[in-house]
Amino acid sequence: MELKQAMEAATAELDVRPGFVGDVMAGGRRRHTRKLVAVTAVVALLAGVTTGVVLTRSPEPPADPRLTAATTGPLAGDSELIETALHLWNDAQKQPWKLHEPVTEVSKRANVFWTGQTPSGPVALVAQEVRVRDSEKPAALVGLVADGAVAGREVVQAESRDHEVGLYRFGPLGDHYVVLTLGKTVSWSMKPVRGPDNRLTRVWASAPHDEDGVVFTVAPLSDRPVFVRGDSVPKPDDFTQPPVLSRYDYHPDRAFVPHPGLGWSGQNCATAAPEERRAWPDMKREHPQRELQKRALLDYLVGWDATGDWSVCAWLPDGRYALMFEAYGDLYGALYQPDGTFSAPVLGGRAVKGEPAVLALPDGQGTIVADFNATIGPEERDHAWLAPAGTKEVTVVQRGVPKVVQLP
């Protein structure tokens, strides 16, 4: 009943018929002993596209039970739905394979192993045996048919089954999710809350692995939905679990997409390295984002647009150095000791496109001012400058136009 209540809470604002969430999950409760086998995520390979051809070599025992499993789910008895899903699936295989899909051959028949109903219509999970370029073993092509098309698919290879993504996003607004449990507990959360101490917390709902292996929920993108698959439900202040990311989450599946946020790209320094240091030392650290997540100061980074594509470094008067970056429209910093060990986090203000980024550092270490392709401060330093402590304003010249920026 906990899963049913969690799903009903997650979709409470949707105008769907009574008992909808219960029906979606009901099919699995009739099959408690059936567990989906964990399989691999999509592997990006060498360039080149191949159209699907029928697999003709001698048959081998299927490595993935979904290739032959009987259809389960609330709509398992709808033969017309299943045939329609297979027709849409087969039509999609006639298109050229994408670069991250190393498929060379496909089997004669696909298998619908789960069906369900969503607010945007019925959906079906499909598996089909395929051959791939880098393996002698057969693989499985697994995907979701929704909204009258294949909403997503991935190649699941036998050699690395533990990395299957198993997350599909669809719907008119891209806010409907089907997530495979893959023998684990799937947890999801929305709307992180920052407390008076600046630490973040999240409330989690979860689906245990002994259900039917399929989770459906609606999660508006503006609510920052996060999905985690593991042995337990994350704690409210734990921001270190590996999130489940679809291919679209870490890069849109289309070319020439400008990066959001401030739109800057690259790494620049606000100071010159000290005379005794001609280069930055090897850092005994994780990424600065990870350091802040360990302290519940930075949210899960689950989208390609969650962070900016830039950073600024600075050697500080007390011998430490700082890294400044952008995430979710805010400015953050991380301070390190001279030997590269983490020293302190820094939270800044909003990152406003078209305006210089300003990050005040603690302990009287000054203020980093950055505006890529501009000259900054009395030294007319390119891109970034470390204003000494006590500096109240700085002149930034962008494209020949000077602007006086007030500092905190």
Side-chain angles (χ1 to χ4, degrees):
M1 292 302 295
E2 292 182 1
L3 175 62
K4 179 176 182 295
Q5 293 169 355
M7 295 294 290
E8 288 176 342
T11 59
E13 298 181 359
L14 293 174
D15 185 15
V16 297
R17 61 177 174 80
F20 160 69
V21 175
D23 287 347
V24 170
M25 305 307 299
R29 296 191 178 94
R30 296 192 298 267
R31 299 180 62 88
H32 278 276
T33 58
R34 176 179 176 273
K35 294 184 180 180
L36 299 178
V37 178
V39 282
T40 72
V42 174
V43 178
L45 294 175
L46 298 175
V49 295
T50 308
T51 55
V53 296
V54 175
L55 189 102
T56 57
R57 64 187 72 190
S58 59
E60 298 180 22
D64 192 320
R66 294 173 292 189
L67 296 169
T68 56
T71 306
T72 63
L75 303 180
D78 190 335
S79 59
E80 182 177 354
L81 165 63
I82 292 173
E83 288 304 315
T84 299
L86 290 173
H87 175 74
L88 294 169
W89 177 266
N90 292 331
D91 276 353
Q93 315 316 341
K94 298 175 184 177
Q95 301 299 318
W97 298 100
K98 297 181 180 180
L99 298 182
H100 63 277
E101 298 173 328
V103 175
T104 58
E105 301 175 64
V106 297
S107 63
K108 292 183 178 180
R109 181 163 178 82
N111 181 53
V112 174
F113 63 89
W114 186 88
T115 61
Q117 181 69 38
T118 74
S120 64
V123 299
L125 286 163
V126 185
Q128 186 169 17
E129 186 175 309
V130 296
R131 293 281 178 172
V132 293
R133 286 191 295 269
D134 65 336
S135 176
E136 292 297 321
K137 298 180 180 180
L141 186 68
V142 182
L144 178 77
V145 176
D147 301 332
V150 174
R153 65 187 183 188
E154 64 176 303
V155 177
V156 202
Q157 296 188 0
E159 291 85 351
S160 52
R161 294 176 180 171
D162 292 340
H163 299 100
E164 180 176 3
V165 175
L167 181 148
Y168 303 97
R169 200 173 90 192
F170 62 102
L173 301 178
D175 57 356
H176 295 181
Y177 292 83
V178 163
V179 190
L180 305 183
T181 62
L182 302 177
K184 299 287 187 177
T185 294
V186 168
S187 304
W188 64 96
S189 172
M190 295 178 281
K191 296 182 179 179
V193 176
R194 193 178 295 276
D197 59 354
N198 282 324
R199 286 172 54 85
L200 295 167
T201 57
R202 277 182 171 271
V203 176
W204 295 89
S206 65
H209 66 273
D210 62 349
E211 290 290 340
D212 66 350
V214 180
V215 173
F216 167 76
T217 190
V218 177
L221 300 183
S222 59
D223 288 346
R224 294 192 196 173
V226 175
F227 295 86
V228 170
R229 185 185 290 115
D231 296 325
S232 60
V233 179
K235 296 179 180 179
D237 61 349
D238 184 358
F239 290 82
T240 64
Q241 300 303 310
V244 182
L245 299 176
S246 70
R247 184 175 182 83
Y248 184 89
D249 287 330
Y250 57 83
H251 199 284
D253 193 14
R254 59 189 191 275
F256 308 114
V257 180
H259 206 285
L262 296 180
W264 299 339
S265 180
Q267 293 74 44
N268 287 288
C269 278
T271 64
E275 286 298 322
E276 66 273 16
R277 295 292 185 97
R278 295 299 179 185
W280 289 81
D282 291 332
M283 295 182 182
K284 301 175 182 178
R285 64 173 179 86
E286 299 181 271
H287 290 293
Q289 293 91 339
R290 186 72 172 175
E291 295 286 2
L292 271 66
Q293 287 174 326
K294 288 163 59 176
R295 293 156 179 82
L297 296 174
L298 178 61
D299 194 16
Y300 283 90
L301 302 176
V302 294
W304 76 281
D305 56 350
T307 60
D309 193 28
W310 62 272
S311 66
V312 169
C313 59
W315 286 97
L316 306 183
D318 66 1
R320 292 182 293 176
Y321 56 92
L323 290 174
M324 172 186 179
F325 60 94
E326 168 193 358
Y328 288 119
D330 289 322
L331 299 172
Y332 292 87
L335 272 58
Y336 295 87
Q337 298 292 349
D339 66 355
T341 57
F342 184 79
S343 175
V346 184
L347 302 184
R350 295 295 293 173
V352 181
K353 192 174 182 65
E355 297 291 333
V358 176
L359 184 70
L361 302 179
D363 307 324
Q365 298 304 296
T367 301
I368 297 177
V369 182
D371 196 353
F372 282 30
N373 301 315
T375 58
I376 305 173
E379 302 173 6
E380 297 185 346
R381 187 173 180 84
D382 291 336
H383 310 299
W385 179 57
L386 177 63
T391 305
K392 298 302 181 181
E393 62 181 31
V394 60
T395 299
V396 177
V397 181
Q398 180 68 262
R399 298 178 181 176
V401 179
K403 179 178 182 177
V404 176
V405 178
Q406 302 299 317
L407 302 184

